[in-house]
């Protein structure tokens, strides 16, 4: 590991001033991703700023019934919070399916959004990876690509985004609050992560001098009837082959509201807007669910090793909506 300077920031202002003065600084919260990347020589900041003392650990209800979650709230605490479990069960489920208990106890909301891909070529310095070394190529293309993306990929990168939590946040229209010495700005989670295009090393729209301070969950009545389904190779700690975050409201047998997002198949947390468009106002039937899934996956492209994800995603969307419909009918 490359030597680095360490600073424990006593307040947010100090943390922001430190990162404003240099573009070779990284914030340290739970460290569940950054420390691994530093050990592997992928990240090598000159200075690490420990932000665990900052007052960003609150979960509060706002006057409009939105929920503001501090960036340093741990994944475990967020998943266990009564407001989250009641109003946004999809988010609690996504977190609990996302990692081991030990990691959830350390990982933070802000850090989860910023975690980097788990593509094997990204972690292998002997391999070409445009995320790790821009312009070096992508050995995943034509290589071992079973876990790679079928949506949003480019000729420069086919790596999936690893977060489960972010998939639920995209479905919920959550907003990320970021701060710098220049002020505060708010970014929809749907716009926070970039598609790879020809610059896959630029993974988010976060500026080098900005710190995530909170995530805001808007009031979404349909989210009280929501579910996260994750398909993976093993039931224990493993990344998604396909995951679906869904909320469904049905009135008179017709879909009055639907929200869908996909994980494991996209280069970023993937909001399934085309499936939502096709399904809204249609009869809540399995045939309609299937048409919506097919419409969303029409643009998907897979290779010999990962094309199975396309059909798996279709079936997982249908199964998740079917389960929500059945639960709603039973209620």
């Amino acid at each position: 590991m490359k030597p680095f300077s360490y600073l424990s920031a006593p307040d947010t202002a100090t943390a922001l001033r430190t990162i404003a003065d240099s573009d070779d600084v990284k914030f340290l919260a739970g460290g569940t991703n950054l420390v691994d990347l530093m050990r592997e020589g992928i990240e090598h900041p000159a200075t690490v700023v420990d932000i665990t003392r900052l007052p960003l650990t609150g979960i509060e209800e706002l006057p409009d019934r939105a929920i503001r979650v501090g960036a340093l709230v741990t994944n475990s605490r967020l998943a266990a919070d009564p407001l989250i479990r009641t109003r946004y069960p999809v988010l609690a489920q996504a977190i609990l399916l996302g990692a081991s208990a030990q990691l959830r106890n350390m990982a933070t909301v802000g850090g989860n959004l910023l975690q980097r891909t788990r593509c094997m070529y990204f972690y292998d310095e002997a391999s070409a990876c445009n995320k790790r070394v821009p312009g070096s190529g992508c050995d995943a293309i034509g290589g071992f690509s079973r876990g790679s993306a079928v949506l949003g990929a480019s000729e420069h990168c086919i790596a999936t985004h690893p977060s489960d939590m972010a998939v639920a946040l995209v479905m919920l229209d959550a907003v990320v609050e970021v701060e710098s010495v220049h002020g505060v700005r708010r970014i929809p989670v749907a716009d926070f992560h970039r598609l790879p295009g020809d610059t896959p090393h630029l993974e988010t729209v976060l500026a080098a001098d900005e710190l995530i301070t909170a995530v805001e969950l808007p009031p979404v009545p349909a989210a009280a009837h929501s579910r996260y389904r994750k398909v993976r190779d093993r039931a224990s700690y493993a990344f998604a082959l396909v995951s679906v975050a869904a909320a469904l409201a049905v009135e008179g047998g017709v879909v009055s509201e639907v929200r869908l997002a996909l994980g494991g198949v996209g280069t970023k947390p993937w909001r399934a807007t085309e499936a939502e468009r096709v399904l809204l106002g249609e009869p809540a039937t399995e045939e309609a669910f299937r048409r919506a899934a097919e419409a969303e996956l029409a643009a998907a492209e897979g290779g010999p090793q990962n094309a199975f994800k396309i059909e798996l995603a279709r079936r997982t969307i249908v199964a998740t909506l079917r389960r929500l419909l059945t639960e709603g009918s039973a209620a």
Side-chain angles (χ1 to χ4, degrees):
M1 183 184 293
K2 175 184 173 182
F4 59 90
S5 299
Y6 171 86
L7 169 67
S8 179
D11 50 54
T12 303
T14 300
L16 294 178
R17 283 197 304 270
T18 302
I19 201 166
D21 293 337
S22 171
D23 60 0
D24 198 12
V25 177
K26 289 289 183 180
F27 289 126
L28 175 69
T32 57
N33 190 207
L34 177 61
V35 172
D36 286 344
L37 294 174
M38 291 175 67
R39 285 173 175 165
E40 296 292 333
I42 297 168
E43 297 276 9
H44 33 75
T47 302
V48 171
V49 179
D50 187 334
I51 58 173
T52 55
R53 295 167 60 189
L54 304 188
L56 304 175
T57 58
I59 301 175
E60 58 178 322
E61 183 176 12
L62 304 179
D64 66 352
R65 290 180 58 80
I67 305 296
R68 188 176 191 275
V69 180
L72 293 180
V73 172
T74 65
N75 287 185
S76 290
R77 183 173 166 225
L78 184 61
D81 186 86
L83 281 175
I84 300 302
R85 292 171 65 89
T86 302
R87 297 188 192 175
Y88 311 98
V90 65
L91 179 56
Q93 292 167 14
I95 292 170
L96 292 174
L97 290 171
S100 66
Q102 294 91 333
L103 287 172
R104 293 196 300 269
N105 288 341
M106 292 297 295
T108 63
V109 169
N112 189 298
L113 287 171
L114 292 174
Q115 66 180 302
R116 306 197 68 184
T117 183
R118 268 39 178 208
C119 175
M120 61 187 296
Y121 296 103
F122 174 71
Y123 279 88
D124 181 7
E125 288 191 45
S127 301
C129 174
N130 287 318
K131 278 187 179 293
R132 180 167 31 82
V133 182
S136 63
C138 175
D139 278 351
I141 299 174
F144 184 75
S145 57
R146 182 172 180 272
S148 299
V150 296
L151 290 168
S154 76
E155 62 180 328
H156 301 284
C157 182
I158 58 174
T160 54
H161 192 275
S163 176
D164 291 284
M165 184 192 79
V167 177
L169 292 178
V170 165
M171 191 215 79
L172 294 168
D173 288 328
V175 175
V176 184
E177 179 185 281
V178 304
E179 188 173 347
S180 73
V181 294
H182 306 293
V184 176
R185 67 178 179 132
R186 292 164 58 82
I187 308 164
V189 174
D191 299 328
F192 185 76
H193 298 97
R194 298 174 183 261
L195 292 173
D198 58 3
T199 56
H201 62 292
L202 301 176
E203 297 177 336
T204 73
V205 298
L206 192 71
D209 63 347
E210 289 180 320
L211 169 68
I212 297 175
T213 51
V215 171
E216 187 173 309
L217 300 167
V220 180
H225 186 50
S226 60
R227 177 169 289 276
Y228 189 76
R229 188 177 185 124
K230 181 175 181 178
V231 182
R232 48 190 169 173
D233 284 326
R234 60 182 189 273
S236 61
Y237 175 40
F239 296 101
L241 294 171
V242 171
S243 66
V244 175
L248 182 69
V250 177
E251 296 180 7
V254 173
V255 176
S256 58
E257 184 174 358
V258 60
R259 290 167 174 263
L260 286 166
L262 307 178
V265 294
T267 53
K268 59 181 281 187
W270 196 267
R271 183 68 181 266
T273 54
E274 182 61 17
E276 292 175 351
R277 185 192 67 78
V278 169
L279 196 53
L280 188 63
E282 292 295 309
T285 63
E286 186 149 340
E287 180 183 352
F289 298 161
R290 189 174 297 109
R291 286 198 307 269
E294 289 172 352
E296 187 62 45
L297 277 299
E301 296 183 4
Q305 296 182 19
N306 69 341
F308 75 94
K309 283 190 173 189
I310 300 173
E311 179 60 23
L312 182 59
R314 290 192 190 105
R315 295 187 183 200
T316 307
I317 290 171
V318 172
T320 307
L321 292 172
R322 183 199 306 127
R323 177 71 178 270
L324 286 171
L325 181 63
T326 301
E327 290 172 345
S329 299

